[in-house]
Every structure is written in structure tokens, then in C-alpha cells.
Amino acid sequence: MEVRDCTALLTLNRPAARNALSSELLRALPEAIVAADANDDVDVIVLTGADPAFCAGLDLRELGSSGSNLAGGATSDKEWTTPWPAVSKPVIGAINGPAVTGGFEIALNCDFLIASERAKFGDTHARVGLLPGWGLSVLLPQAVGIRRAREMSLTGNFMDAHEALQFGLVNRVVAHDDLLPVTLSIAADIAGNDQRSVRALLAEYAEITGSIYDDGLRIEAKNAAEWNSRRGGFDPAEVEKRRAAIIERGRKMA
């Protein structure tokens, strides 16, 4: 974690694997978010990835061999899990490249997103043979509308940065080299406000949208638990068969 002017900059840092979510990274991410939230020197959290990607989702190599990273991630005292526990401070996603499946869910769990022109967004759960478990089926329709969300999830096709801006998924699209400066400038604007009010507003937004959000997550968690278990639709051997095709498709979309 790097702290700059009351902003914690957190970077997903497995660039050779396109910041894919290994068991280790799945443990480290919520720990880092919680630590930043508890740090009195931090008012805003910015989450980004080491180039060339923001996050390619679950590490398919680990998923296809043991599937152990399927059970990773934040724990919760509720009936569902999210990439990190609830925090009191704003989390801004600085999306520097492709955000895919689990990586897309991480982006959606941020309070809002600033995108590099190189950003792309894709829900490939259906290509891997999984169901989302971090809120995608709730958060994506909130961001882009139910019909566009259905199209993205059912096709597995990607949305580029400018389409994402058009449909309201991201707040701004900037030149790649400007991504962090612009995002940190926005974070500084937030940090310059009264922090009691900032955190109260975040809590108010959560309370207003809470009933729909909680009910949706409860349904998603139930379905994901059934489908993603070995007894359901998830098959590590099938993931390994599809891994090469998914990687090749990602290269074509790059």
C-alpha cells in the first residue's frame, strides 16, 4: 500500500499473469482494503492493476488444476461474500486494462470507476462454466441496465472503454498515462471534503439501495454455491480444456 496525500493506492501486482486471482491474491486483497480503511492517514482508496491488465479474473491455471481459488476471497457474516468486507471510505477503481469476470466483479464493487482508454470489461462466467458470486448479477444491471447486462453475461463479449462510458459503467475515460494522475486528483477532491459527511453519504447510499442489493446478493450466493460446487456445474477439468481458447480470445480482444 502506498499512501499519497490521504489516498491509499493499492495495486494488483501479478502482471505476468494479468493480475489473475490466485488464492494468495484473493487473501491479500481484502486484507489490504481493510488495512487502508483502518488507516487514519487515509481518506480515499484507489485500486488499480499493474499493466497490461486490471485483472483477468480467477487464475485459470489454478482453477483448472485444483479449483482452490474458487473458494477464496473475503468472508462475510451475511449470506454472501464480496471481494472485500464493507468499508467506510470511498474505493475508486482506476481501470488500466481488461477487467474480466472476477476482475470485472472487483471493478463493479468499487464506488465508481475511472478508465484508461485501454480498459475493457467482460463477463466470461458462462465461458468458464461458473456463476458469479461477488455481486455481478446485481451490480452490472445497476450500472448498464438489465438488457445490456444480459447481453454481456450471455455472450461473454467485451465492452471497450468508450462503450463503458456511453452506458454508464465508468465515470470517465482518459489517456492511459493520465489514468493515475486523474484518479488521484479526484481522490484529492474527495479527501478535501469533510470526511464525516463523505462517509455518512456513502452509508446513506448503501442504506437506500440496500434492500434490493441484499436480496439480489442473497439469490446470487445461493445459486453460485449450488452451481459452482463439484456437485453442480463446475468441473475443473472442463475449465482446463477451455483455458487455451479463453486466453486466445482475450488476446484477440486486446
Side-chain angles (χ1 to χ4, degrees):
M1 177 172 64
E2 178 185 355
V3 179
R4 305 183 188 178
D5 299 325
C6 299
T7 297
L9 178 62
L10 306 180
T11 303
L12 303 172
N13 194 23
R14 297 185 69 216
R18 300 175 71 82
N19 304 319
L21 298 168
S22 62
S23 295
E24 181 180 2
L25 185 53
L26 283 166
R27 287 190 297 268
L29 175 60
E31 290 175 358
I33 295 280
V34 169
D37 192 55
N39 189 328
D40 291 338
D41 294 328
V42 171
D43 292 328
V44 184
I45 302 166
V46 170
L47 180 62
T48 193
D51 285 341
F54 176 73
C55 179
L58 287 178
D59 187 316
L60 295 181
R61 190 177 297 278
E62 182 176 346
L63 185 64
S65 58
S66 66
S68 57
N69 53 341
L70 185 61
T75 58
S76 173
D77 58 0
K78 298 180 183 291
E79 299 171 53
W80 58 84
T81 61
T82 53
W84 52 83
V87 293
S88 63
K89 299 172 183 177
V91 180
I92 306 173
I95 311 303
N96 58 300
V100 186
T101 313
F104 191 11
E105 290 193 279
I106 287 174
L108 286 167
N109 275 274
C110 296
D111 290 301
F112 60 88
L113 304 176
I114 310 300
S116 157
E117 59 198 350
R118 300 179 188 174
K120 294 183 176 66
F121 302 88
D123 176 19
T124 62
H125 281 95
R127 295 189 181 279
V128 181
L130 298 173
L131 291 184
W134 276 350
L136 182 141
S137 61
V138 181
L139 296 169
L140 184 57
Q142 287 182 351
V144 302
I146 185 63
R147 295 181 184 277
R148 181 64 56 172
R150 285 173 179 159
E151 179 184 340
M152 291 185 72
S153 292
L154 299 181
T155 64
N157 291 339
F158 281 54
M159 177 182 286
D160 68 26
H162 293 288
E163 289 177 304
L165 180 63
Q166 177 185 352
F167 288 105
L169 177 59
V170 305
N171 291 51
R172 305 187 192 190
V173 176
V174 300
H176 186 72
D177 290 343
D178 293 337
L179 178 63
L180 282 182
V182 169
T183 306
L184 291 171
S185 175
I186 294 170
D189 289 340
I190 296 172
N193 291 330
D194 179 81
Q195 291 308 298
R196 293 172 302 172
S197 296
V198 167
R199 292 166 200 176
L201 278 167
L202 272 182
E204 188 170 276
Y205 275 117
E207 184 178 357
I208 289 169
T209 60
S211 59
I212 295 174
Y213 182 68
D214 289 358
D215 288 344
L217 288 185
R218 191 174 294 112
I219 293 168
E220 182 187 84
K222 172 181 173 293
N223 292 338
E226 293 174 357
W227 180 264
N228 295 345
S229 71
R230 298 292 176 92
R231 299 185 304 277
F234 171 63
D235 181 356
E238 186 63 24
V239 170
E240 181 60 23
K241 289 179 187 177
R242 297 179 184 179
R243 186 167 69 87
I246 292 168
I247 291 171
E248 180 60 27
R249 182 179 179 84
R251 287 176 180 152
K252 290 179 180 177
M253 293 299 298

